[in-house]
């Protein structure tokens, strides 16, 4: 059973920055494309950033493009999300997962990490 543990969330003022981290308990982590997702209250969980298995290519939702940067360390089985110029609308629970077909997560979801941006 794969376990995903997200960390790094918190309360930050608009314009501030946070760095999220995710650790995956999986030997073949480097074989999987990974992604960060977020879910705001009353809304569906949406993908915000993705990175291919090698780290050689990334993509972002339009809403975060230019502000968020996804990266990974296959030696440590981790994926990170550097968030800057945060906006109140970025407030959500953030999750990582392997990126499956149609962008959906492949594995059981972790507990996520709460990001709250105050105006």
């Amino acid at each position: 059973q794969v376990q995903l543990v997200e960390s790094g969330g918190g309360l930050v003022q608009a314009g501030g920055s946070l760095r999220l981290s995710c650790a995956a308990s999986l030997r073949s982590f480097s074989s999987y494309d990974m992604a960060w997702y977020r879910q705001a209250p009353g809304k569906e969980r949406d993908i915000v950033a993705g990175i291919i298995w090698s780290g050689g290519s990334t993509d972002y939702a339009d809403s975060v493009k230019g502000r968020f940067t996804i990266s990974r360390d296959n030696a440590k089985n981790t994926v990170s999300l550097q968030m800057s110029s945060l906006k109140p609308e970025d407030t959500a629970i953030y999750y990582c997962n392997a990126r499956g077909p149609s962008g959906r997560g492949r594995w059981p979801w972790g507990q996520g990490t709460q990001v709250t941006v105050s105006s």
Side-chain angles (χ1 to χ4, degrees), residues 46-64:
D46 292 326
I47 191 168
V48 294
I51 186 167
I52 66 169
W53 63 274
S54 66
S57 180
T58 59
D59 62 284
Y60 300 90
D62 287 344
S63 59
V64 307

Side-chain angles (χ1 to χ4, degrees), residues 19-61:
R19 184 176 179 85
L20 307 183
S21 294
C22 169
S25 62
L26 182 72
R27 286 187 180 181
S28 56
F29 174 82
S30 61
S31 299
Y32 292 91
D33 298 343
M34 295 295 294
W36 280 94
Y37 302 78
R38 69 184 180 188
Q39 186 169 22
K43 295 187 177 181
E44 293 187 351
R45 183 154 37 202
D46 292 326
I47 191 168
V48 294
I51 186 167
I52 66 169
W53 63 274
S54 66
S57 180
T58 59
D59 62 284
Y60 300 90

